[in-house]
Amino acid sequence: MTIRHLKIFIAVVETGKMNAAAKKLYITQPSVSQAIHELEEHYHILLFERFSKKLFITESGRLLYSYAKPLISQFDLLEENMLTKKHREKYHLGATISVGGSILSQTVKQLEEQFPALDIYAFVGNTKEVEEKLLNMELDTGIVEGIIKSPDLITHPILDDPLVLACSKNHPLASLSALSPDDLNQQDFAIREDGSGTRELLERFLSSHGIPIHVRFESHTPDAIKNALRENLCLTLISARLLTKELQSGEFIAFSNQSALWNRSFRLVYHKRKSNMVYLNAVKQIISCFTNPSMQDDLPLRPFQEKNRDH
């Protein structure tokens, strides 16, 4: 039994005559008769009864028609979509939340301008989620700031992403011209979720300095963390790229740390088995043209001193 058999059967049902079905399908009447006979032999049923040179569909025939009609409609749709329509090549780009809140939209826009026929899908999650999707081949390329752990993924640092310790202008620490580690002792923090590269860097820094803090908020979104700074007088470690407007307006105060513990980069990540590098290289070129935020000139940042102040 083939699609051809079912199409012939449907034509006979809808025209009511074998010769009419043959004309509709541009085949001979014996071919129609043979196809119906083969269907009846295959299913061991009678599809039509013949009285006075007329065809009358049987109950078994009606049942087969109820199944065959939607099946053939779906098959015809499949043929139309696969054979007659032009397909847009798909490119799946993943990014962490820090990237998604800063350079992702511009990257996608410029990629679309370079490749108008490319169908681009963008996913935003934390570093762990992007890594898992790359390993499962659900993403073609990732842009992350956290540490990639799998040896099956290749990473290339591509853009500096300075982190700052930030708080509201109303926070008690906002009156200080500089911060040191002892100022953070037992402070309330709003932090990113587990799997975030930003959180990993914060935890590493706090652990290396033996600083205990109170975690009051944990969130996937920068906006929720910013609100915790505004309304709940929390501190946070966050990408300077996500606070440009707030820092320039004076709404937030931020302290920069020049030590290696706060240094990080946006990294381009892809699976080592990926062979098509055209779009990857285009993304790399786009991101490399973005300007790094100046720690001294563009943003009003105060220093974070590694050594505690003498009291």
Side-chain angles (χ1 to χ4, degrees):
M1 192 273 292
T2 65
I3 292 293
R4 176 178 177 274
H5 285 89
L6 294 180
K7 284 189 171 184
I8 292 173
F9 167 69
I10 289 171
V12 174
V13 173
E14 294 179 349
T15 61
K17 296 180 180 179
M18 296 248 184
N19 59 353
K23 290 179 181 179
K24 181 179 179 179
L25 298 175
Y26 301 101
I27 59 178
T28 63
Q29 183 172 332
S31 296
V32 173
S33 299
Q34 181 180 356
I36 297 301
H37 176 72
E38 289 172 353
L39 274 175
E40 290 177 330
E41 287 290 316
H42 180 77
Y43 289 116
H44 304 289
I45 56 174
L46 184 66
L47 296 174
F48 298 97
E49 291 182 321
R50 299 157 181 82
F51 297 107
S52 301
K53 298 183 180 180
K54 292 184 179 181
L55 293 179
F56 297 90
I57 191 169
T58 63
E59 287 298 322
S60 295
R62 290 191 182 91
L63 179 62
L64 179 60
Y65 181 79
S66 70
Y67 289 126
K69 183 64 176 179
L71 188 153
I72 294 302
S73 295
Q74 286 297 310
F75 177 79
D76 290 341
L77 181 63
L78 181 153
E79 291 285 281
E80 178 185 359
N81 287 332
M82 297 302 296
L83 297 177
T84 65
K85 291 186 178 180
K86 293 182 179 179
H87 287 278
R88 290 164 60 90
E89 189 173 357
K90 295 183 181 296
Y91 186 67
H92 292 184
L93 181 63
T96 53
I97 293 169
S98 295
V99 178
S102 55
I103 66 170
L104 180 62
S105 295
Q106 297 174 61
T107 301
V108 171
K109 180 180 179 181
Q110 292 187 36
L111 195 62
E112 289 173 336
E113 290 172 352
Q114 288 189 35
F115 304 97
L118 185 62
D119 189 359
I120 302 172
Y121 163 81
F123 166 82
V124 177
N126 61 38
T127 299
K128 182 179 179 181
E129 291 169 332
V130 172
E131 180 174 5
E132 289 175 351
K133 287 184 176 293
L134 285 166
L135 290 172
N136 292 332
M137 297 299 183
E138 297 175 43
L139 295 174
D140 296 299
T141 306
I143 311 169
V144 306
E145 78 282 353
I147 297 174
I148 294 296
K149 300 177 174 62
S150 173
D152 292 326
L153 300 179
I154 298 172
T155 67
H156 294 292
I158 194 168
L159 187 68
D160 290 340
D161 181 43
L163 293 175
V164 294
L165 191 69
C167 64
S168 163
K169 63 181 181 180
N170 299 317
H171 194 284
L173 295 181
S175 62
L176 300 178
S177 59
L179 283 187
S180 64
D182 60 351
D183 294 315
L184 304 183
N185 188 54
Q186 301 298 337
Q187 290 288 341
D188 292 338
F189 268 74
I191 68 173
R192 287 283 307 279
E193 79 290 348
D194 189 32
S196 158
T198 304
R199 174 170 173 163
E200 187 174 359
L201 280 172
L202 175 62
E203 290 177 339
R204 187 189 309 159
F205 173 79
L206 295 173
S207 176
S208 67
H209 287 74
I211 303 172
I213 64 169
H214 295 143
V215 177
R216 292 193 60 198
F217 289 85
E218 181 177 332
S219 175
H220 284 72
T221 67
D223 285 342
I225 289 177
K226 290 179 186 181
N227 285 334
L229 269 59
R230 292 185 182 100
E231 306 296 335
N232 306 100
L233 298 182
C234 290
L235 293 163
T236 195
L237 188 68
I238 191 170
S239 170
R241 296 178 182 277
L242 300 178
L243 293 184
T244 302
K245 293 180 180 179
E246 292 86 353
L247 292 176
Q248 290 176 341
S249 70
E251 180 185 9
F252 289 168
I253 304 299
F255 300 85
S256 65
N257 183 0
Q258 299 301 317
S259 76
L261 283 175
W262 286 14
N263 289 347
R264 74 174 186 183
S265 301
F266 287 156
R267 296 179 176 90
L268 209 59
V269 190
Y270 58 95
H271 202 286
K272 65 182 182 182
R273 291 203 297 269
K274 281 290 180 183
S275 56
N276 188 344
M277 305 294 284
V278 174
Y279 303 131
L280 175 71
N281 289 332
V283 171
K284 183 178 181 180
Q285 180 62 35
I286 290 169
I287 297 176
S288 65
C289 291
F290 290 141
T291 303
N292 287 309
S294 170
M295 300 296 289
Q296 287 76 30
D297 302 328
D298 295 342
L299 299 178
L301 302 179
R302 303 176 188 179
F304 184 96
Q305 302 165 344
E306 278 298 303
K307 294 183 179 181
N308 289 326
R309 293 189 300 271
D310 293 328
H311 295 286

